[in-house]
Amino acid sequence: MLISKSMNAALNTQVGQEFGASLQYVQIATYFDREGLPTLAQHFYKQAEEEREHAMKFVRFIADAAGEVAIPAIQAPQPTFQSAEEAVRKSVDWEVTVTKQINALMDLAIKDNDHITRNFLNWFMEEQLEEVSSMETLLSMVRRAGESGLLFVENYLAQGRKGAAPEAGGES
Ligand SMILES: [Fe+2]
Ligand SMILES: [Fe+2]
């Protein structure tokens, strides 16, 4: 096994966190669907897919390192929101939390002199910077637009999809 037992356990925990983020984003997407905001909904369905891919990256890494994959119980996501702002704030909070978790994994890799895991985690460090930044941009836009102005946010995201403007949430 190329990774320590404690690293193996910490990586399994992170698999659960990434699947958890995926489920939370599915819930947020359905909130926007119900509110008649299909582009925001699509944006979050796409985020949910990306989080699933993150989980699978961790799974493949553990397997490649000859570790033992053990997916933990996933906490149920928050099902309802009072406003678009609350839903997007939930995503920002989630991304900030995940960034701290990836930082802690990196600390452990450094402590273990585990350069293979450090190298693997570098991709996630960059990804988190981008995700926190784009999610915070989206939150500012939703706040500025207000509940009655969410169609502006829809238009902005729709334009990004056509390549006319950078999409909040980015590509990865
Ligand atoms: Fe993620
Ligand atoms: Fe994320």
Side-chain angles (χ1 to χ4, degrees):
M1 187 157 87
L2 290 171
I3 52 177
S4 70
K5 278 221 174 300
S6 57
M7 178 56 84
N8 193 156
L11 291 169
N12 275 324
T13 302
Q14 195 60 33
V15 171
Q17 294 295 335
E18 301 290 341
F19 277 128
S22 182
L23 297 183
Q24 185 61 75
Y25 290 158
V26 169
Q27 281 287 184
I28 292 171
T30 62
Y31 166 79
F32 285 120
D33 249 341
R34 272 202 317 277
E35 292 291 309
L37 296 161
T39 312
L40 273 157
Q42 230 197 316
H43 177 72
F44 279 94
Y45 281 125
K46 183 166 161 274
Q47 296 303 310
E49 286 297 320
E50 283 184 14
E51 297 304 339
R52 190 184 177 282
E53 283 167 22
H54 294 171
M56 292 309 296
K57 266 185 200 281
F58 277 101
V59 165
R60 278 192 299 271
F61 177 74
I62 297 165
D64 285 349
E68 197 179 308
V69 174
I71 299 171
I74 317 280
Q75 215 192 325
Q78 181 178 334
T80 55
F81 302 93
Q82 298 305 313
S83 64
E85 183 180 334
E86 191 198 348
V88 178
R89 201 176 342 106
K90 182 83 190 173
S91 323
V92 171
D93 290 348
W94 196 288
E95 291 300 336
V96 169
T97 301
V98 167
T99 304
K100 287 182 186 152
Q101 290 160 346
I102 307 267
N103 270 332
L105 287 173
M106 188 63 106
D107 286 346
L108 183 58
I110 289 166
K111 190 175 128 284
D112 283 356
N113 291 319
D114 177 355
H115 299 290
I116 286 178
T117 304
R118 274 183 65 179
N119 188 49
F120 167 72
L121 290 172
N122 278 333
W123 184 88
F124 282 93
M125 303 289 353
E126 266 188 54
E127 176 73 5
Q128 284 313 118
L129 173 62
E130 192 214 295
E131 292 208 334
V132 170
S133 148
S134 59
M135 210 57 99
E136 276 178 345
T137 302
L138 184 61
L139 180 59
S140 308
M141 287 176 61
V142 166
R143 278 190 177 137
R144 184 172 291 256
E147 288 295 308
S148 61
L150 289 173
L151 285 178
F152 290 111
V153 180
E154 283 276 292
N155 282 339
Y156 173 80
L157 289 176
Q159 274 183 0
R161 197 146 275 135
K162 282 182 265 162
E167 182 186 350
E171 295 300 318
S172 57

